[in-house]
Amino acid sequence: MKNEVKPYKEAEGSKKEQVAQMFDSISQRYDFLNHMLSMNIDKGWRKKVVKIAAAEGPKQILDVATGTGDLAIALTKAKPDSIMGIDISNGMLEVGRKKIKEKGLTQIITLQQADSEDLPFEDNTFDIVTVAFGVRNFENLEKGMSEIRRVLKPGGKALVLEFSQPTGFPFKQVYKFYFKNILPTLGKAISKDASAYTYLPESVNAFPYGQKFIDVLENVGFTQNKFQPVTFGVATIYEAVK
């Protein structure tokens, strides 16, 4: 399942290349913008993911599309032996490495530049694989989820946190107005990247959320698939077992 929505529509390069370029461009302002534009609600969503992960008693965790490492850092509360975070954007990873060093977590968390659709790990390596706000940026969604399944141990769990779309009135209408008009304007003003926060709502609109994403998980071989909308459906947490 190819996703052709790209950050820079008039530019050359694959979606993958453009996503890496975009996140490199906004990496220094990403954390500030992310928390401001979500009014810090995203922190609560990550806590829910960590709670689900912790219940599995994981030893090795992989955080795909780790960005600046927010979820990887939060996952230390699940008390694993190690957390590997990978991302396609070195700019985001550099910010993440500084945060991890400042928090004294370098013994637990390692960050590495890698492609989510070609993971540099052996089969059956991780107890848990997480992705927060990253799967909609995959160029090929099924390929990325197949790779996640491949590196999971049998019985291991994939946890995906991703934006979705509210359906209830009036929250749906308020959310759409904010997402389409206010968020891109603020994002552009602060990040200085005109495309990054226009791409965000476009990529969310293009993402097959809810049951459609469950269908993708089933197609690549995951079982016991389920999803839980959070904050009126602004985001959704997906669970899938290898």
Side-chain angles (χ1 to χ4, degrees):
M1 183 183 291
K2 284 265 188 173
N3 186 341
E4 298 300 333
V5 176
K6 297 179 183 179
Y8 307 109
K9 297 177 185 64
E10 308 303 320
E12 295 293 320
S14 66
K15 175 176 180 175
K16 196 174 295 183
E17 291 165 339
Q18 289 194 17
V19 165
Q21 179 188 343
M22 177 188 75
F23 281 113
D24 282 344
S25 160
I26 65 174
S27 60
Q28 296 303 315
R29 301 176 185 87
Y30 177 82
D31 281 341
F32 170 75
L33 267 167
N34 197 27
H35 300 316
M36 182 192 77
L37 293 172
S38 72
M39 293 170 281
N40 280 326
I41 297 170
D42 61 308
K43 293 180 179 178
W45 298 337
R46 287 188 184 87
K47 284 181 181 176
K48 289 180 184 290
V49 172
V50 171
K51 188 175 180 182
I52 297 167
E56 303 294 317
K59 298 297 182 187
Q60 277 78 39
I61 297 177
L62 172 64
D63 186 36
V64 172
T66 195
T68 63
D70 273 354
L71 183 55
I73 290 166
L75 282 163
T76 58
K77 289 187 167 56
K79 304 202 181 309
D81 292 340
S82 67
I83 300 169
M84 169 63 73
I86 67 111
D87 201 277
I88 201 169
S89 164
N90 197 53
M92 297 285 275
L93 291 172
E94 284 302 311
V95 175
R97 288 185 184 109
K98 286 177 190 171
K99 285 160 59 174
I100 288 162
K101 188 175 181 181
E102 286 168 5
K103 292 176 182 293
L105 296 172
T106 53
Q107 297 298 314
I108 304 171
I109 305 174
T110 304
L111 299 187
Q112 176 181 333
Q113 188 172 20
D115 182 351
S116 56
E117 294 170 36
D118 186 18
L119 296 172
F121 307 110
E122 297 291 327
D123 296 0
N124 311 318
T125 299
F126 299 96
D127 303 294
I128 295 273
V129 179
T130 58
V131 197
F133 309 114
V135 292
R136 75 178 189 285
N137 297 322
F138 289 2
E139 191 165 44
N140 187 317
L141 184 56
E142 289 198 353
K143 188 176 180 187
M145 294 314 300
S146 293
E147 274 292 274
I148 286 171
R149 185 180 180 276
R150 178 183 68 78
V151 301
L152 272 169
K153 293 176 182 175
K157 184 171 280 191
L159 298 173
V160 175
L161 170 61
E162 188 53 87
F163 286 116
S164 44
Q165 298 180 49
T167 55
F169 177 86
F171 198 80
K172 173 183 175 180
Q173 286 71 19
V174 172
Y175 168 82
K176 283 201 167 183
F177 179 81
Y178 173 76
F179 221 50
K180 190 174 180 181
N181 300 288
I182 297 171
L183 185 146
T185 303
L186 285 173
K188 176 183 175 181
I190 296 169
S191 74
K192 310 302 182 192
D193 187 315
S195 298
Y197 289 88
T198 303
Y199 165 74
L200 175 58
E202 289 174 353
S203 65
V204 171
N205 285 335
F207 181 72
Y209 67 95
Q211 184 58 46
K212 289 180 180 177
F213 185 59
I214 294 292
D215 293 343
V216 173
L217 295 173
E218 288 177 355
N219 286 343
V220 301
F222 280 107
T223 62
Q224 300 176 49
N225 306 307
K226 57 185 178 179
F227 67 98
Q228 170 192 352
V230 290
T231 315
F232 305 104
V234 172
T236 301
I237 298 169
Y238 302 87
E239 299 180 49
V241 176
K242 177 173 178 177

